């Protein structure tokens, strides 16, 4: 069961993954480091995206754990 779909507007993991892929493409460009200020901002964006994706994974895992606990509780106390 995927109970965190309604939050997709706020926590759009697939969008964040696409943004991260685009950022990684920028970073792999040969002249990426030629503009230090721009490079620093892109690297900060990359870190922010990686953290958001990891947080989404953690929330999904915790939500699944809660679903399981609720299902077990319902079986014990019908």
């Amino acid at each position: 069961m995927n109970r965190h779909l309604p939050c997709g507007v706020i926590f759009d993991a697939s969008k964040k993954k696409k943004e991260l892929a685009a950022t990684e493409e920028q970073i792999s460009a040969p002249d990426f480091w030629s503009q230090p200020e721009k490079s620093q901002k892109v690297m900060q964006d990359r870190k922010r995206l990686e953290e958001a994706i990891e947080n989404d994974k953690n929330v999904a895992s915790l939500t699944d754990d809660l679903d399981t606990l609720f299902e077990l509780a319902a079986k014990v106390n019908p």
Side-chain angles (χ1 to χ4, degrees):
M1 180 187 301
N2 195 344
R3 296 178 67 167
H4 50 85
L5 278 179
C7 296
V9 175
I10 298 170
F11 305 109
D12 190 349
S14 63
K15 181 181 175 189
K16 299 281 187 213
K17 289 177 184 177
K18 288 177 186 174
E19 289 178 33
L20 181 59
T23 301
E24 294 288 350
E25 193 172 309
Q26 280 184 313
I27 293 169
S28 67
D31 64 339
F32 175 73
W33 296 105
S34 65
Q35 298 175 339
E37 294 88 20
K38 183 179 177 183
S39 301
Q40 183 178 10
K41 179 170 179 349
V42 171
M43 294 302 287
Q44 289 170 346
D45 288 344
R46 175 186 177 195
K47 181 177 173 82
R48 178 186 53 81
L49 289 167
E50 289 172 337
E51 288 173 353
I53 292 167
E54 185 62 30
N55 287 340
D56 183 71
K57 287 180 189 176
N58 291 338
V59 167
S61 176
L62 291 172
T63 301
D64 289 343
D65 290 347
L66 283 173
D67 286 342
T68 302
L69 288 173
F70 282 125
E71 289 172 14
L72 290 172
K75 288 180 183 177
V76 172
N77 298 316

